[in-house]
Amino acid sequence: MILLAGIRSESPLALVAAALRRRGAAFRFVHQRDVADHAIAWRIDERGVTGILSLGAERIALEEVTGLYTRMMDDRLLPELDGLGEDHPARRHARAFHDSFFHWSEIAPGRVVNRAEPQGSNGSKPYQAQLIARHGFLVPPTLITNDPEAVLAFRRTHGALVYKSISAVRSIVKRLDADDIARLDAIRWCAVQFQAAIEGINVRVHVVGEKVFATEIASTHVDYRYAHVDGGETRLSAVTLPRAVRARCIALSRELDLPFSGIDLMRTPRGDYYCFEVNPQPGFSYYQGHTGQPIATAVARYLAGG
Amino acid sequence: MALILCEEGDVAAAWAAEQLRHRGVAVDVVTSDALGAATRWVHRVDSRTADVEIDLADGRLIRSAAAVPILNRLSLVPLRALRAAAGQDYGYAVQEMFALYLSWLHAWPAPVINRPAPQGLSGAYRHPSAWRAFAAEAGLAFRPWAQSSADPPALSWTTSEPAAATAFVVAGRAVLPPLLPPTLAEPLIHVAARARLALAGFDFAHDAKQGWAMVGASPLPHLPAGGEAVIGALAEALGA
């Protein structure tokens, strides 16, 4: 039995469900909006991890769960709980279910895409960059500082700069322009991350186990994800990576303990590959929709043990 | 020379500093609040190297170029200065500072016990069930853990059973109190390695039926419980 946890209509979850249906694989949604009808009880002892997941009237033995694809939203934001106080029984049940389900998923013996612990590396971009660099990818020269003078010196060395958050929060890339330089003193209260601007073509690589899907992105904006907001344009096309880069992507994803990852690369005019980050919860539907790459099929195959 | 990073009032850190000084090791203690009040941060990362320079408000300088070993007992990013400065951006600022601390401590070129992890600045802080999964893998006896959606989530991190003995693993070496059988050493070393911890404490309870069984574990153990033996192992691991 395979579980798909999250909001049933969310694109990645729906695409994987469709792929599992095509395979004839047995699966169930753990649909968060139905949490009032869900319950879970489990234990770990010398016999292993055992328990029961109740989805409405159906009882599923957790020992029979061989795969889990989890894209759960913050249960506190579920529309069904709108307006309910912290101590409302429905809210307390939702919290308890999600907490218990989450801790089970971290030690469940089956295939889990992806467990929470390894997803943590994405919470610090410079930390993850150090892990990435070990795999032979170039990473952009990076400076994190609250010292305006250090930024100006870094700019003299590297030329054009971008800045972005250090963590995964508010992760939008912006070019450092003259207006930013004029207000550089504002960084004194909290360090900011600056990077040398790397010119080239963005390539998003989805790794599913040993399968690799690469998408080249041509965009009018530095951060292609937000081009449409400013009236810009982004075009996506499937590409084949050089064998060595492809192997590096698989090895990186494996070392980060991520069966499914979205790796952001940039190919420079010289043919070097920089790696900006590894997304542990890739919203792949955007890329699959534009290129026709069978990413959901690969995730379904992985979950089914293939 | 060694650096101890800790929270204000960390009794175990103060004890470790004193014990290391007794052994002739020069120790500088830097608290979380002192780091939070640092006047200058410079942390660089590129494809080959990473370094850090921190200027503390009291004039002390922390430089990765000096490469002193660190006993790291930080549990939170310093919040006092952030709370005062960040206003509505406080939550964002906390995330940003955690990301910075994770990176610079990971990059530090000398021994750091423990290195930080995304789940904790002194190494991953794990749920009791996760420690039990590692123990099961290692063949280490442990008390069962049960959880359900009928339980209050706030209780899901607590264990009710008191410890009768605490064992330590320091840099791949088990330090066991005389009460505990030496056969526990190997599985404990395995669990610490799986948890990617250079330093870990393991609490054990005893009953006639099961014998000694693990009831809890921590990347931030109460060091005085390990006495001289733990300090000796730490001093060696720090190379101080």
Side-chain angles (χ1 to χ4, degrees), chain A residues 40 117 124 144-145 147 167, chain B residues 40-41 43 96 99 126 145 149:
Chain A
I40 187 170
E117 183 173 331
S124 169
I144 298 157
T145 189
D147 178 356
S167 68
Chain B
R40 181 174 173 270
W41 285 89
H43 176 38
E96 290 290 282
R126 290 187 161 81
W145 177 267
S149 48

Side-chain angles (χ1 to χ4, degrees), chain A residues 144-224:
Chain A
I144 298 157
T145 189
N146 64 347
D147 178 356
E149 286 304 317
V151 180
L152 295 174
F154 189 67
R155 187 163 165 257
R156 284 193 292 276
T157 303
H158 295 288
L161 303 182
V162 297
Y163 61 97
K164 58 185 183 183
S165 63
I166 313 168
S167 68
V169 182
R170 300 185 195 172
S171 179
I172 300 176
V173 186
K174 299 266 190 189
R175 273 194 191 277
L176 186 74
D177 60 23
D179 289 345
D180 296 320
I181 296 287
R183 61 190 180 102
L184 210 48
D185 247 13
I187 70 172
R188 288 189 193 280
W189 77 268
C190 186
V192 172
Q193 176 171 235
F194 300 88
Q195 284 185 337
I198 308 295
E199 301 300 333
I201 303 290
N202 283 297
V203 181
R204 161 53 79 96
V205 182
H206 290 99
V207 178
V208 187
E210 302 283 315
K211 294 273 181 199
V212 175
F213 304 93
T215 303
E216 195 169 282
I217 300 127
S219 180
T220 49
H221 281 57
V222 176
D223 194 331
Y224 68 85

